[in-house]
Amino acid sequence: MARDPRYDILFQPLKIGPVTAKNRFYQVPHCNGGGYRDPSAAAAMRGIKSEGGWGVIFTEQCEMHHTSEITPFIELRLWEDADIPGLAKMAAAMKRHGALAGIQLAYSGVNGPNLYTREVPRAPTALPIRTFTNDPIQARAMDREDIRDLRRWHRNAFRRAKQAGFDLVCLYGAHGFGIIQHFLSRATNQRSDEYGGSLENRARLMRELIAEARDAVGDSCGITLRLSLDEIVGDLGFSNAELRDLIAMHADLPDLWDLAHGAWEDCSGPSRFKEEAAQEDLVAGIKQLTQKPVVGVGRFTSPDVMVRQIKQGTLDFIGCARPSIADPFLPRKVEEGRIEDIRECIGCNICITGDMTMSISRCTQNPTFMEEWRKGWHPEKIQGKGDSDSVLVVGAGPAGLEAALALGRRGYRVALAESGTELGGRVARECKLPGLSAWGRVRDYRAFQLGKLANVEIYFDSHLAAEDILGFGFQHVAIATGADWRRDGVARAHVVPMPIDAAIPLFTPDDIMAGRLPDGGRVVLFDDDHYYMGGVTAELLAGKGMKVTLVTSSAFVSDWSRNTLEQGAIHRRLAAAGIEIVLNRVVTRIGADHVETACAYTGNAAPMAADAVVLVTARIGRDALWHDLVARRGDWAEAGIRSVKRIGDAEAPGPIAWATYAGHRYARELDEPDIGDAMPFRREVTALAAD
Ligand code: ADP
Ligand code: SF4
C-alpha cells in the first residue's frame, strides 16, 4: 500500500550540518543493557532499526574517556583505538539501509563514580557523585589544566568517532548524566572563575567543546547537543527559562538541538505517569529561537501526533527511543500505509530494567529486542513451519496470544482456546487498574494481527480439561493458562503459609481486579511482591475512599519499580492519595480484626487494626491442566499429540514481558532441531590477551 499523503511531511529529508537525514524519524540514544559487553547484539539491534526505516539512529551513551565512567551500568566505551572496531560495526549496521549513524559522547563528571578505572572523578565543583546508588565517592573540582585535558580528550574522541564511521556526534548534557549539564547548572557548578556564575560563563565549556568538535570533524559530521529541558532539582537547577536563554544566546551553535526532559525519570516516565507528547509545553517555542533543527521526545507512537509536532512548529525531528524498541519498523509501516500494524509501546519501562539491572534489555511488546543477533530473531520475519501442522494454544493471555500469533505467521494451523469471553488474560484485567490503560495494547496489537490470519481460530468460553485436549487431535499443545495470586501469604517473608484467621475479609489482586472489594474501613495491604501491583492496588482502594495502610518488608514502596524509573512517582502518588506507607515491616500473622507486624530488622512486634487485608505476595502457576496431561502421557500417541509444554505465567509467574517472550520462544522453537546441552543463544566472550 502507498503512504497516506498526510504523513508525507515525516518523510521530508533535512540537513544536520554537513549531512542529510532521509526523513524525520530520529532514534534518540537509548541504553539496552548490552553495551560494551555485547557489541554484536547491540549493533544488530541498531541495524534492524535501519532496515525499519529510521532516518537517524544513535548509539546509547558512550563513555568518551576513561577518567569518567559509570560502572556498574553497561554502556559503550570509546577510551582508546581498541574500542573503534566494535563501534565501527555498530555504525556500519546503522547505515546499511540509509540512516545517519550517530554517537552520543558522554563525559559523566559528577555522575561517574569510576568504580572500574579507579580514577578520581572530576566535576565543575567538588561534590559527592550523584548516581542511583549513592556511591560514597566524591569528585574533585576541575582546574584550568583539567579543562584543557577535557578539550583534548574530546578532540580525540571526535576523531575516533569519525574513524568508526559515525555521521553525527552528540555531546551529552541532559538527564543529569553529562558534564555540559553539570557546568550549566548552578546546582552542580558553584565556581567563581570564568566557567561559573553567569549563564554566559556556565556555557563556556559547552562552547569550547563544540568548537573542538567543529574543528576536528565539523567538515563531515553533524554536531548535535543534547540538553535537559528542565533539570528539576530545585531553584538552583538549570530551568526551562534558562535553557531558552541559552538557546537564544547560542542559536546556531550546534547543528541540531536535541532536547530531553530533566532527569531520566522525568524524560522516560512510564505511561502510568506520563502521556504521549508529555514534553510538548517544555519544548514549544524553542524552535523559534534557532535556525537549526530541533528534536524532542515524548513516547510518540501515533503518526498523527508526530505530524502535528512538525506542522505546528514544535519539532523538526520526531525523537523516539521506546517507540523504536517496541516497533523498530515504525517508519516503514507509516511509509507503506500500514499504520494499524504499528506495535505501540505500552510505556511499561521494562526495557529500562535491562540497563538498571545490568542484564540485557527486554521489551514487553517486542520479544525479539536484543535477540536479533543472539538468537537471529527478526521482528518482522519468522521462519516457515516445520514438519508438523497443528497447534492448540490454551489460554489467551500475553503468552498464549504471542504464541498463537507467531505460530500463525509460521503457517501452522492454530487453535487458541480461552476459558473466558475476552482476549488478553492478565493484561485485560490489569489495564483497568489506575494509570495502566496503555497496557491493553499488548492485547490490542495481537488481537488485530490474529484477525488477519486465516489459519488461526479463536474459541471463547472454552475451559479445557485434559480429556477435551486428548480428544481434539492437535499435534502440539501449549499450556498458557496463567497464574493466580496466592492467598496464603507465601512470597519472600513467608516461604510457608502464614497464620490467617478465617474470620478476616481477605483479598488478593485477583479479587480486586474482578471487582470484589473490601466493604471499606481500615484496609491493610501487605506488599511482599515489590513491583507495581501492591502500589497500584493501594491506589485503587484509596480512590474508592478506603483508609489504606501499605505495609512492606522493603525500605521502598514498590521497590523493584526503581528499575522502571517510577518508584519516586509511585511513592509521591500514594502519599498524595493519603495512603499510610509503612516500610521495613513484615505482616507476621493475620487475626480476625488486626494484623501482627514485625520490624524487618529487629523483629520488634506491633499490632495494627484492620477490617480487611489485601495480600500482594506471590503467584502460583495454573498448571493443573499441564499436570493432568503429563499424567496421561501414555495416551498422547493415540491422540496424535507429539508435545505438551507449559509457557508463560503457568510455568513460572513473572512480568508481562516474560510471558510474551515465552510465547514467542515457543513458536520460534517448535519443530526446530533439539540443541541438547548447547547454549540457546550466541554470546561474545572477551578475547584473552596474549600474555
Ligand atoms: P500469561 O501471562 O502466561 O499469558 P494470563 O494469566 O494472562 O497468563 O492468561 C492466561 C489465560 O488462560 C487467561 O485468560 C485464562 O482465562 C485462560 N485459561 C486458564 N485456564 C484455562 C483452561 N483450562 N482452558 C482455557 N483457558 C484457560
Ligand atoms: Fe515500551 Fe515497555 Fe517495550 Fe519499553 S518495554 S519499549 S516501555 S513496551
Side-chain angles (χ1 to χ4, degrees):
M1 276 211 305
R3 149 178 115 212
D4 186 327
R6 74 174 187 271
Y7 304 130
D8 284 354
I9 198 167
L10 298 172
F11 293 88
Q12 285 172 353
L14 193 62
K15 273 175 85 69
I16 308 174
V19 295
T20 302
K22 66 176 178 178
N23 63 33
R24 308 301 182 98
F25 294 95
Y26 191 113
Q27 183 244 269
V28 291
H30 69 73
C31 59
N32 51 72
Y36 65 79
R37 188 197 53 212
D38 297 290
S40 294
M45 176 268 288
R46 307 285 182 201
I48 287 286
K49 301 207 199 186
S50 187
E51 194 184 337
W54 297 83
V56 176
I57 303 173
F58 263 89
T59 64
E60 59 269 44
Q61 169 169 357
C62 180
E63 297 164 352
M64 49 72 58
H65 196 258
H66 70 272
T67 53
S68 191
E69 49 93 5
I70 58 166
T71 306
F73 298 99
I74 301 176
E75 314 298 326
L76 293 172
R77 289 175 175 166
L78 187 51
W79 293 353
E80 53 182 329
D81 288 351
D83 293 308
I84 294 174
L87 287 163
K89 185 170 188 177
M90 187 177 286
M94 290 167 167
K95 294 185 345 180
R96 198 159 295 138
H97 295 268
L100 293 178
I103 183 166
Q104 183 187 45
L105 297 173
Y107 193 85
S108 301
V110 81
N111 182 245
N114 294 351
L115 300 173
Y116 180 73
T117 60
R118 301 181 177 176
E119 297 287 349
V120 173
R122 299 156 192 224
T125 296
L127 281 171
I129 294 298
R130 298 159 79 87
T131 52
F132 291 111
T133 38
N134 296 324
D135 302 298
I137 299 159
Q138 296 199 193
R140 71 165 164 81
M142 295 167 76
D143 60 20
R144 289 208 177 85
E145 195 179 334
D146 291 325
I147 291 177
R148 273 198 298 279
D149 287 345
L150 186 64
R151 292 176 60 168
R152 190 178 64 256
W153 297 336
H154 271 84
R155 270 182 103 79
N156 294 339
F158 295 138
R159 285 209 197 92
R160 286 184 177 122
K162 180 172 170 178
Q163 206 182 323
F166 289 98
D167 306 301
L168 301 169
V169 292
C170 170
L171 285 161
Y172 196 20
H175 301 142
F177 294 159
I179 195 154
I180 291 177
Q181 179 176 345
H182 307 154
F183 267 86
L184 285 175
S185 165
R186 284 168 299 143
T188 43
N189 178 352
Q190 297 159 22
R191 301 173 74 98
S192 52
D193 65 359
E194 69 272 27
Y195 289 91
S198 66
L199 181 58
E200 164 92 27
N201 279 356
R202 281 178 279 132
R204 188 175 307 279
L205 182 78
M206 176 191 90
R207 289 193 296 275
E208 290 176 350
L209 295 182
I210 290 187
E212 296 291 352
R214 196 68 67 225
D215 203 38
V217 299
D219 57 333
S220 53
C221 293
I223 297 156
T224 78
L225 190 53
R226 188 158 221 221
L227 295 181
S228 273
L229 279 163
D230 195 338
E231 196 184 4
I232 333 188
V233 292
D235 293 343
L236 289 174
F238 187 61
S239 67
N240 193 250
E242 270 212 312
L243 172 79
R244 286 166 194 264
D245 292 345
L246 177 99
I247 295 179
M249 283 161 68
H250 304 92
D252 297 336
L253 185 69
D255 294 322
L256 171 143
W257 295 99
D258 176 349
L259 304 172
H261 195 14
W264 193 17
E265 293 88 329
D266 305 307
C267 190
S268 297
S271 55
R272 184 170 168 191
F273 297 98
K274 302 261 182 186
E275 297 291 333
E276 183 171 6
Q279 306 181 23
E280 199 172 321
D281 290 348
L282 287 169
V283 83
I286 289 183
K287 217 180 98 53
Q288 284 66 50
L289 303 174
T290 169
Q291 303 294 314
K292 302 292 180 173
V294 172
V295 59
V297 292
R299 204 162 22 75
F300 296 116
T301 58
S302 151
D304 293 297
V305 176
M306 296 177 189
V307 165
R308 181 163 59 77
Q309 299 296 316
I310 296 178
K311 285 208 167 146
Q312 73 193 13
T314 308
L315 300 175
D316 297 291
F317 284 101
I318 304 301
C320 296
R322 289 168 293 173
S324 77
I325 292 172
D327 197 340
F329 274 59
L330 191 155
R332 275 269 287 269
K333 290 176 182 175
V334 180
E335 170 101 73
E336 292 169 3
R338 297 195 292 128
I339 305 299
E340 66 288 347
D341 288 339
I342 294 173
R343 193 170 43 227
E344 289 182 289
C345 167
I346 70 166
C348 61
N349 282 4
I350 279 291
C351 47
I352 290 168
T353 70
D355 187 53
M356 296 294 288
T357 60
M358 301 109 209
S359 48
I360 200 151
S361 288
R362 305 178 178 243
C363 171
T364 302
Q365 280 285 61
N366 174 11
T368 67
F369 181 57
M370 293 309 284
E371 299 293 8
E372 302 87 349
W373 180 84
R374 297 205 316 169
K375 291 193 161 174
W377 289 1
H378 189 285
E380 299 294 311
K381 296 181 199 149
I382 195 160
Q383 81 273 30
K385 74 173 190 63
D387 66 0
S388 52
D389 300 303
S390 62
V391 189
L392 170 67
V393 178
V394 187
L401 283 173
E402 177 63 26
L405 180 58
L407 288 164
R409 286 176 172 165
R410 283 191 65 186
Y412 289 95
R413 184 167 65 80
V414 181
L416 175 60
E418 164 56 47
S419 59
T421 54
E422 61 175 349
L423 298 177
R426 61 182 290 191
V427 164
R429 293 188 297 277
E430 292 183 25
C431 76
K432 296 190 186 113
L433 291 168
L436 300 187
S437 62
W439 293 21
R441 293 172 172 181
V442 172
R443 167 202 56 204
D444 299 342
Y445 167 74
R446 289 167 180 81
F448 181 73
Q449 296 297 322
L450 282 168
K452 295 206 250 179
L453 296 176
N455 52 329
V456 180
E457 296 280 353
I458 300 175
Y459 300 91
F460 291 109
D461 285 322
S462 302
H463 189 84
L464 301 186
E467 191 58 32
D468 304 320
I469 293 171
L470 288 164
F472 286 154
F474 285 93
Q475 291 167 313
H476 301 280
V477 184
I479 307 288
T481 44
D484 294 306
W485 286 93
R486 297 184 75 124
R487 42 181 73 248
D488 57 6
V490 170
R492 294 176 171 87
H494 300 275
V495 291
V496 295
M498 78 163 108
I500 299 176
D501 191 313
I504 186 110
L506 191 77
F507 301 86
T508 71
D510 288 326
D511 296 313
I512 309 294
M513 288 187 283
R516 292 187 293 275
L517 302 180
D519 288 337
R522 292 157 304 179
V523 179
V524 172
L525 183 150
F526 179 46
D527 183 3
D528 200 19
D529 169 57
H530 306 292
Y531 190 18
Y532 57 90
M533 188 55 86
V536 83
T537 305
E539 186 182 338
L540 182 149
L541 297 177
K544 299 202 177 290
M546 294 177 208
K547 175 95 198 72
V548 182
T549 302
L550 187 153
V551 181
T552 178
S553 53
S554 168
F556 295 90
V557 160
S558 298
D559 190 345
W560 203 75
S561 71
R562 287 190 286 166
N563 296 314
T564 47
L565 304 181
E566 60 188 320
Q567 194 279 329
I570 292 174
H571 191 120
R572 277 191 292 280
R573 182 170 284 182
L574 300 197
I579 294 163
E580 185 187 2
I581 296 169
V582 179
L583 305 173
N584 300 319
R585 285 200 90 76
V586 175
V587 171
T588 51
R589 151 190 302 273
I590 300 174
D593 58 2
H594 73 287
V595 299
E596 289 290 345
T597 70
C599 170
Y601 294 105
T602 64
N604 280 349
M608 201 178 277
D611 299 311
V613 170
V614 180
L615 288 177
V616 184
T617 51
R619 289 183 291 154
I620 303 184
R622 278 185 218 120
D623 58 1
L625 176 60
W626 180 80
H627 281 293
D628 290 349
L629 282 167
V630 169
R632 296 186 60 179
R633 194 183 286 269
D635 300 333
W636 290 8
E638 198 182 324
I641 294 176
R642 296 192 198 173
S643 75
V644 178
K645 205 168 175 329
R646 271 177 306 184
I647 58 172
D649 288 322
E651 182 181 21
I656 297 163
W658 273 242
T660 49
Y661 177 82
H664 196 82
R665 181 178 185 179
Y666 173 80
R668 289 260 179 188
E669 293 181 352
L670 193 71
D671 285 335
E672 289 296 310
D674 184 355
I675 61 165
D677 290 345
M679 282 280 296
F681 61 89
R682 290 199 284 174
R683 63 192 266 265
E684 279 164 319
V685 179
T686 308
L688 276 183
D691 51 356

